[in-house]
PDB file of all heavy atoms in Angstrom:
ATOM      1  N   TYR A   1      22.205  -2.173  27.930  1.00  0.00           N
ATOM      2  CA  TYR A   1      21.950  -2.992  26.741  1.00  0.00           C
ATOM      3  C   TYR A   1      23.122  -3.956  26.526  1.00  0.00           C
ATOM      4  O   TYR A   1      22.897  -5.075  26.240  1.00  0.00           O
ATOM      5  CB  TYR A   1      21.679  -2.146  25.538  1.00  0.00           C
ATOM      6  CG  TYR A   1      20.250  -1.534  25.501  1.00  0.00           C
ATOM      7  CD1 TYR A   1      19.919  -0.344  25.921  1.00  0.00           C
ATOM      8  CD2 TYR A   1      19.123  -2.346  25.026  1.00  0.00           C
ATOM      9  CE1 TYR A   1      18.753   0.288  25.857  1.00  0.00           C
ATOM     10  CE2 TYR A   1      17.950  -1.789  24.934  1.00  0.00           C
ATOM     11  CZ  TYR A   1      17.689  -0.499  25.404  1.00  0.00           C
ATOM     12  OH  TYR A   1      16.423   0.002  25.354  1.00  0.00           O
ATOM     13  N   GLN A   2      24.320  -3.428  26.557  1.00  0.00           N
ATOM     14  CA  GLN A   2      25.472  -4.279  26.227  1.00  0.00           C
ATOM     15  C   GLN A   2      25.641  -5.379  27.310  1.00  0.00           C
ATOM     16  O   GLN A   2      26.048  -6.510  26.895  1.00  0.00           O
ATOM     17  CB  GLN A   2      26.704  -3.370  26.127  1.00  0.00           C
ATOM     18  CG  GLN A   2      26.688  -2.452  24.933  1.00  0.00           C
ATOM     19  CD  GLN A   2      27.993  -1.638  24.902  1.00  0.00           C
ATOM     20  OE1 GLN A   2      28.552  -1.213  25.954  1.00  0.00           O
ATOM     21  NE2 GLN A   2      28.506  -1.412  23.695  1.00  0.00           N
ATOM     22  N   ASP A   3      25.385  -5.012  28.554  1.00  0.00           N
ATOM     23  CA  ASP A   3      25.430  -6.038  29.572  1.00  0.00           C
ATOM     24  C   ASP A   3      24.362  -7.241  29.388  1.00  0.00           C
ATOM     25  O   ASP A   3      24.686  -8.403  29.476  1.00  0.00           O
ATOM     26  CB  ASP A   3      25.155  -5.489  30.937  1.00  0.00           C
ATOM     27  CG  ASP A   3      26.250  -4.600  31.508  1.00  0.00           C
ATOM     28  OD1 ASP A   3      27.399  -4.611  30.778  1.00  0.00           O
ATOM     29  OD2 ASP A   3      26.060  -3.796  32.401  1.00  0.00           O
ATOM     30  N   ALA A   4      23.204  -6.751  28.865  1.00  0.00           N
ATOM     31  CA  ALA A   4      22.207  -7.834  28.575  1.00  0.00           C
ATOM     32  C   ALA A   4      22.528  -8.662  27.410  1.00  0.00           C
ATOM     33  O   ALA A   4      22.420  -9.818  27.375  1.00  0.00           O
ATOM     34  CB  ALA A   4      20.861  -7.015  28.369  1.00  0.00           C
ATOM     35  N   TRP A   5      23.182  -7.917  26.418  1.00  0.00           N
ATOM     36  CA  TRP A   5      23.542  -8.735  25.165  1.00  0.00           C
ATOM     37  C   TRP A   5      24.631  -9.770  25.569  1.00  0.00           C
ATOM     38  O   TRP A   5      24.564 -10.797  24.952  1.00  0.00           O
ATOM     39  CB  TRP A   5      24.171  -7.666  24.209  1.00  0.00           C
ATOM     40  CG  TRP A   5      24.571  -8.170  22.831  1.00  0.00           C
ATOM     41  CD1 TRP A   5      25.617  -9.111  22.672  1.00  0.00           C
ATOM     42  CD2 TRP A   5      24.104  -7.797  21.531  1.00  0.00           C
ATOM     43  NE1 TRP A   5      25.754  -9.356  21.283  1.00  0.00           N
ATOM     44  CE2 TRP A   5      24.846  -8.647  20.697  1.00  0.00           C
ATOM     45  CE3 TRP A   5      23.214  -6.882  21.177  1.00  0.00           C
ATOM     46  CZ2 TRP A   5      24.653  -8.356  19.282  1.00  0.00           C
ATOM     47  CZ3 TRP A   5      23.008  -6.797  19.793  1.00  0.00           C
ATOM     48  CH2 TRP A   5      23.674  -7.609  18.850  1.00  0.00           C
ATOM     49  N   ALA A   6      25.520  -9.449  26.451  1.00  0.00           N
ATOM     50  CA  ALA A   6      26.515 -10.388  26.787  1.00  0.00           C
ATOM     51  C   ALA A   6      25.939 -11.548  27.558  1.00  0.00           C
ATOM     52  O   ALA A   6      26.620 -12.689  27.503  1.00  0.00           O
ATOM     53  CB  ALA A   6      27.538  -9.694  27.714  1.00  0.00           C
ATOM     54  N   LEU A   7      24.788 -11.446  28.188  1.00  0.00           N
ATOM     55  CA  LEU A   7      24.182 -12.514  29.009  1.00  0.00           C
ATOM     56  C   LEU A   7      23.285 -13.476  28.170  1.00  0.00           C
ATOM     57  O   LEU A   7      23.060 -14.564  28.400  1.00  0.00           O
ATOM     58  CB  LEU A   7      23.438 -11.999  30.163  1.00  0.00           C
ATOM     59  CG  LEU A   7      24.224 -11.440  31.258  1.00  0.00           C
ATOM     60  CD1 LEU A   7      23.306 -10.657  32.247  1.00  0.00           C
ATOM     61  CD2 LEU A   7      24.971 -12.481  31.957  1.00  0.00           C
ATOM     62  N   TYR A   8      22.789 -12.860  27.055  1.00  0.00           N
ATOM     63  CA  TYR A   8      21.785 -13.568  26.250  1.00  0.00           C
ATOM     64  C   TYR A   8      22.231 -13.594  24.809  1.00  0.00           C
ATOM     65  O   TYR A   8      23.086 -12.899  24.427  1.00  0.00           O
ATOM     66  CB  TYR A   8      20.277 -12.980  26.358  1.00  0.00           C
ATOM     67  CG  TYR A   8      19.943 -12.593  27.860  1.00  0.00           C
ATOM     68  CD1 TYR A   8      20.124 -11.409  28.332  1.00  0.00           C
ATOM     69  CD2 TYR A   8      19.539 -13.664  28.669  1.00  0.00           C
ATOM     70  CE1 TYR A   8      19.745 -11.250  29.706  1.00  0.00           C
ATOM     71  CE2 TYR A   8      19.206 -13.397  29.916  1.00  0.00           C
ATOM     72  CZ  TYR A   8      19.314 -12.192  30.477  1.00  0.00           C
ATOM     73  OH  TYR A   8      18.979 -11.979  31.778  1.00  0.00           O
ATOM     74  N   ASP A   9      21.555 -14.399  23.998  1.00  0.00           N
ATOM     75  CA  ASP A   9      21.856 -14.374  22.548  1.00  0.00           C
ATOM     76  C   ASP A   9      21.374 -13.132  21.869  1.00  0.00           C
ATOM     77  O   ASP A   9      20.393 -12.486  22.358  1.00  0.00           O
ATOM     78  CB  ASP A   9      21.278 -15.616  21.883  1.00  0.00           C
ATOM     79  CG  ASP A   9      19.765 -15.580  21.925  1.00  0.00           C
ATOM     80  OD1 ASP A   9      19.167 -16.008  22.962  1.00  0.00           O
ATOM     81  OD2 ASP A   9      19.113 -15.036  20.972  1.00  0.00           O
ATOM     82  N   GLU A  10      22.027 -12.741  20.786  1.00  0.00           N
ATOM     83  CA  GLU A  10      21.611 -11.473  20.084  1.00  0.00           C
ATOM     84  C   GLU A  10      20.239 -11.338  19.611  1.00  0.00           C
ATOM     85  O   GLU A  10      19.691 -10.325  19.431  1.00  0.00           O
ATOM     86  CB  GLU A  10      22.709 -11.211  18.911  1.00  0.00           C
ATOM     87  CG  GLU A  10      22.488 -12.228  17.662  1.00  0.00           C
ATOM     88  CD  GLU A  10      23.395 -11.703  16.612  1.00  0.00           C
ATOM     89  OE1 GLU A  10      24.621 -11.725  16.800  1.00  0.00           O
ATOM     90  OE2 GLU A  10      22.854 -11.498  15.438  1.00  0.00           O
ATOM     91  N   ASN A  11      19.615 -12.623  19.316  1.00  0.00           N
ATOM     92  CA  ASN A  11      18.287 -12.552  18.915  1.00  0.00           C
ATOM     93  C   ASN A  11      17.260 -11.984  19.984  1.00  0.00           C
ATOM     94  O   ASN A  11      16.152 -11.581  19.699  1.00  0.00           O
ATOM     95  CB  ASN A  11      17.895 -13.916  18.388  1.00  0.00           C
ATOM     96  CG  ASN A  11      18.520 -14.272  17.125  1.00  0.00           C
ATOM     97  OD1 ASN A  11      18.713 -13.424  16.197  1.00  0.00           O
ATOM     98  ND2 ASN A  11      18.765 -15.605  16.989  1.00  0.00           N
ATOM     99  N   THR A  12      17.674 -12.256  21.192  1.00  0.00           N
ATOM    100  CA  THR A  12      16.880 -11.809  22.347  1.00  0.00           C
ATOM    101  C   THR A  12      16.958 -10.336  22.638  1.00  0.00           C
ATOM    102  O   THR A  12      16.031  -9.627  22.926  1.00  0.00           O
ATOM    103  CB  THR A  12      17.349 -12.497  23.578  1.00  0.00           C
ATOM    104  OG1 THR A  12      17.298 -13.897  23.503  1.00  0.00           O
ATOM    105  CG2 THR A  12      16.462 -12.171  24.769  1.00  0.00           C
ATOM    106  N   ILE A  13      18.193  -9.696  22.498  1.00  0.00           N
ATOM    107  CA  ILE A  13      18.374  -8.340  22.757  1.00  0.00           C
ATOM    108  C   ILE A  13      18.642  -7.439  21.601  1.00  0.00           C
ATOM    109  O   ILE A  13      18.381  -6.267  21.582  1.00  0.00           O
ATOM    110  CB  ILE A  13      19.640  -8.154  23.682  1.00  0.00           C
ATOM    111  CG1 ILE A  13      19.528  -9.069  24.945  1.00  0.00           C
ATOM    112  CG2 ILE A  13      19.921  -6.712  24.029  1.00  0.00           C
ATOM    113  CD1 ILE A  13      18.306  -8.511  25.850  1.00  0.00           C
ATOM    114  N   GLY A  14      19.081  -8.066  20.397  1.00  0.00           N
ATOM    115  CA  GLY A  14      19.445  -7.373  19.284  1.00  0.00           C
ATOM    116  C   GLY A  14      18.553  -6.350  18.808  1.00  0.00           C
ATOM    117  O   GLY A  14      18.845  -5.234  18.327  1.00  0.00           O
ATOM    118  N   GLY A  15      17.222  -6.743  18.649  1.00  0.00           N
ATOM    119  CA  GLY A  15      16.143  -5.802  18.027  1.00  0.00           C
ATOM    120  C   GLY A  15      16.068  -4.562  18.886  1.00  0.00           C
ATOM    121  O   GLY A  15      16.028  -3.475  18.367  1.00  0.00           O
ATOM    122  N   ALA A  16      15.848  -4.794  20.267  1.00  0.00           N
ATOM    123  CA  ALA A  16      15.567  -3.671  21.138  1.00  0.00           C
ATOM    124  C   ALA A  16      16.905  -2.704  21.113  1.00  0.00           C
ATOM    125  O   ALA A  16      16.768  -1.576  21.212  1.00  0.00           O
ATOM    126  CB  ALA A  16      15.338  -4.164  22.547  1.00  0.00           C
ATOM    127  N   TYR A  17      18.048  -3.382  21.145  1.00  0.00           N
ATOM    128  CA  TYR A  17      19.271  -2.621  21.241  1.00  0.00           C
ATOM    129  C   TYR A  17      19.528  -1.737  19.842  1.00  0.00           C
ATOM    130  O   TYR A  17      19.808  -0.544  19.994  1.00  0.00           O
ATOM    131  CB  TYR A  17      20.523  -3.499  21.480  1.00  0.00           C
ATOM    132  CG  TYR A  17      21.809  -2.693  21.547  1.00  0.00           C
ATOM    133  CD1 TYR A  17      21.900  -1.586  22.409  1.00  0.00           C
ATOM    134  CD2 TYR A  17      22.981  -3.154  21.029  1.00  0.00           C
ATOM    135  CE1 TYR A  17      23.098  -0.975  22.618  1.00  0.00           C
ATOM    136  CE2 TYR A  17      24.206  -2.517  21.129  1.00  0.00           C
ATOM    137  CZ  TYR A  17      24.247  -1.415  21.982  1.00  0.00           C
ATOM    138  OH  TYR A  17      25.375  -0.768  22.173  1.00  0.00           O
ATOM    139  N   GLY A  18      19.184  -2.396  18.805  1.00  0.00           N
ATOM    140  CA  GLY A  18      19.252  -1.568  17.497  1.00  0.00           C
ATOM    141  C   GLY A  18      18.283  -0.384  17.416  1.00  0.00           C
ATOM    142  O   GLY A  18      18.647   0.677  17.081  1.00  0.00           O
ATOM    143  N   ASN A  19      17.074  -0.590  17.985  1.00  0.00           N
ATOM    144  CA  ASN A  19      16.088   0.496  18.037  1.00  0.00           C
ATOM    145  C   ASN A  19      16.576   1.595  18.923  1.00  0.00           C
ATOM    146  O   ASN A  19      16.378   2.823  18.635  1.00  0.00           O
ATOM    147  CB  ASN A  19      14.812  -0.024  18.395  1.00  0.00           C
ATOM    148  CG  ASN A  19      14.081  -0.955  17.378  1.00  0.00           C
ATOM    149  OD1 ASN A  19      14.414  -0.817  16.289  1.00  0.00           O
ATOM    150  ND2 ASN A  19      13.179  -1.713  17.849  1.00  0.00           N
ATOM    151  N   PHE A  20      17.210   1.162  20.018  1.00  0.00           N
ATOM    152  CA  PHE A  20      17.746   2.196  21.021  1.00  0.00           C
ATOM    153  C   PHE A  20      18.874   2.947  20.266  1.00  0.00           C
ATOM    154  O   PHE A  20      18.958   4.255  20.487  1.00  0.00           O
ATOM    155  CB  PHE A  20      18.283   1.488  22.302  1.00  0.00           C
ATOM    156  CG  PHE A  20      19.224   2.402  23.092  1.00  0.00           C
ATOM    157  CD1 PHE A  20      18.700   3.484  23.766  1.00  0.00           C
ATOM    158  CD2 PHE A  20      20.630   2.182  23.062  1.00  0.00           C
ATOM    159  CE1 PHE A  20      19.642   4.287  24.434  1.00  0.00           C
ATOM    160  CE2 PHE A  20      21.497   2.945  23.709  1.00  0.00           C
ATOM    161  CZ  PHE A  20      20.979   4.048  24.430  1.00  0.00           C
ATOM    162  N   LEU A  21      19.807   2.341  19.672  1.00  0.00           N
ATOM    163  CA  LEU A  21      20.898   2.922  18.982  1.00  0.00           C
ATOM    164  C   LEU A  21      20.353   3.970  18.048  1.00  0.00           C
ATOM    165  O   LEU A  21      20.925   5.119  17.850  1.00  0.00           O
ATOM    166  CB  LEU A  21      21.832   1.905  18.288  1.00  0.00           C
ATOM    167  CG  LEU A  21      22.638   1.082  19.259  1.00  0.00           C
ATOM    168  CD1 LEU A  21      23.413   0.011  18.439  1.00  0.00           C
ATOM    169  CD2 LEU A  21      23.649   1.863  20.079  1.00  0.00           C
ATOM    170  N   VAL A  22      19.459   3.616  17.172  1.00  0.00           N
ATOM    171  CA  VAL A  22      18.810   4.478  16.200  1.00  0.00           C
ATOM    172  C   VAL A  22      18.216   5.798  16.937  1.00  0.00           C
ATOM    173  O   VAL A  22      18.511   6.919  16.516  1.00  0.00           O
ATOM    174  CB  VAL A  22      17.803   3.855  15.328  1.00  0.00           C
ATOM    175  CG1 VAL A  22      16.986   4.922  14.482  1.00  0.00           C
ATOM    176  CG2 VAL A  22      18.405   2.773  14.422  1.00  0.00           C
ATOM    177  N   ASN A  23      17.428   5.554  17.862  1.00  0.00           N
ATOM    178  CA  ASN A  23      16.743   6.578  18.606  1.00  0.00           C
ATOM    179  C   ASN A  23      17.836   7.484  19.286  1.00  0.00           C
ATOM    180  O   ASN A  23      17.652   8.694  19.336  1.00  0.00           O
ATOM    181  CB  ASN A  23      15.860   5.986  19.621  1.00  0.00           C
ATOM    182  CG  ASN A  23      14.957   7.071  20.393  1.00  0.00           C
ATOM    183  OD1 ASN A  23      14.311   7.807  19.737  1.00  0.00           O
ATOM    184  ND2 ASN A  23      15.126   7.096  21.760  1.00  0.00           N
ATOM    185  N   ALA A  24      18.901   6.845  19.857  1.00  0.00           N
ATOM    186  CA  ALA A  24      19.929   7.729  20.508  1.00  0.00           C
ATOM    187  C   ALA A  24      20.585   8.629  19.544  1.00  0.00           C
ATOM    188  O   ALA A  24      20.826   9.700  19.939  1.00  0.00           O
ATOM    189  CB  ALA A  24      20.899   6.647  21.283  1.00  0.00           C
ATOM    190  N   VAL A  25      20.884   8.072  18.420  1.00  0.00           N
ATOM    191  CA  VAL A  25      21.630   8.946  17.473  1.00  0.00           C
ATOM    192  C   VAL A  25      20.753  10.165  17.085  1.00  0.00           C
ATOM    193  O   VAL A  25      21.217  11.276  17.003  1.00  0.00           O
ATOM    194  CB  VAL A  25      22.012   8.110  16.163  1.00  0.00           C
ATOM    195  CG1 VAL A  25      22.569   8.987  15.027  1.00  0.00           C
ATOM    196  CG2 VAL A  25      23.104   7.006  16.510  1.00  0.00           C
ATOM    197  N   VAL A  26      19.486   9.838  16.779  1.00  0.00           N
ATOM    198  CA  VAL A  26      18.626  10.908  16.359  1.00  0.00           C
ATOM    199  C   VAL A  26      18.383  11.961  17.463  1.00  0.00           C
ATOM    200  O   VAL A  26      18.369  13.148  17.253  1.00  0.00           O
ATOM    201  CB  VAL A  26      17.327  10.309  15.892  1.00  0.00           C
ATOM    202  CG1 VAL A  26      16.256  11.473  15.524  1.00  0.00           C
ATOM    203  CG2 VAL A  26      17.474   9.457  14.524  1.00  0.00           C
ATOM    204  N   THR A  27      18.164  11.415  18.646  1.00  0.00           N
ATOM    205  CA  THR A  27      17.841  12.277  19.814  1.00  0.00           C
ATOM    206  C   THR A  27      19.126  13.206  20.116  1.00  0.00           C
ATOM    207  O   THR A  27      19.080  14.406  20.364  1.00  0.00           O
ATOM    208  CB  THR A  27      17.519  11.539  21.088  1.00  0.00           C
ATOM    209  OG1 THR A  27      16.352  10.770  20.782  1.00  0.00           O
ATOM    210  CG2 THR A  27      17.302  12.352  22.356  1.00  0.00           C
ATOM    211  N   LEU A  28      20.329  12.598  20.190  1.00  0.00           N
ATOM    212  CA  LEU A  28      21.480  13.318  20.456  1.00  0.00           C
ATOM    213  C   LEU A  28      21.755  14.435  19.289  1.00  0.00           C
ATOM    214  O   LEU A  28      22.153  15.490  19.530  1.00  0.00           O
ATOM    215  CB  LEU A  28      22.763  12.334  20.470  1.00  0.00           C
ATOM    216  CG  LEU A  28      22.843  11.542  21.699  1.00  0.00           C
ATOM    217  CD1 LEU A  28      23.844  10.317  21.517  1.00  0.00           C
ATOM    218  CD2 LEU A  28      23.232  12.329  22.974  1.00  0.00           C
ATOM    219  N   TYR A  29      21.525  14.053  18.098  1.00  0.00           N
ATOM    220  CA  TYR A  29      21.659  14.947  16.937  1.00  0.00           C
ATOM    221  C   TYR A  29      20.756  16.108  17.135  1.00  0.00           C
ATOM    222  O   TYR A  29      21.044  17.357  16.948  1.00  0.00           O
ATOM    223  CB  TYR A  29      21.310  14.180  15.649  1.00  0.00           C
ATOM    224  CG  TYR A  29      21.625  15.040  14.457  1.00  0.00           C
ATOM    225  CD1 TYR A  29      22.790  14.879  13.766  1.00  0.00           C
ATOM    226  CD2 TYR A  29      20.582  15.875  13.925  1.00  0.00           C
ATOM    227  CE1 TYR A  29      23.028  15.693  12.560  1.00  0.00           C
ATOM    228  CE2 TYR A  29      20.853  16.622  12.704  1.00  0.00           C
ATOM    229  CZ  TYR A  29      22.007  16.399  12.078  1.00  0.00           C
ATOM    230  OH  TYR A  29      22.224  17.149  10.879  1.00  0.00           O
TER     231      TYR A  29
END
């Protein structure tokens, strides 16, 4: 996700990345 964020603007990747971060925190917990 971070690699993709670096290549494109945050509006393109930001939504999907934010959802992933939330899901990752909850799943890891």
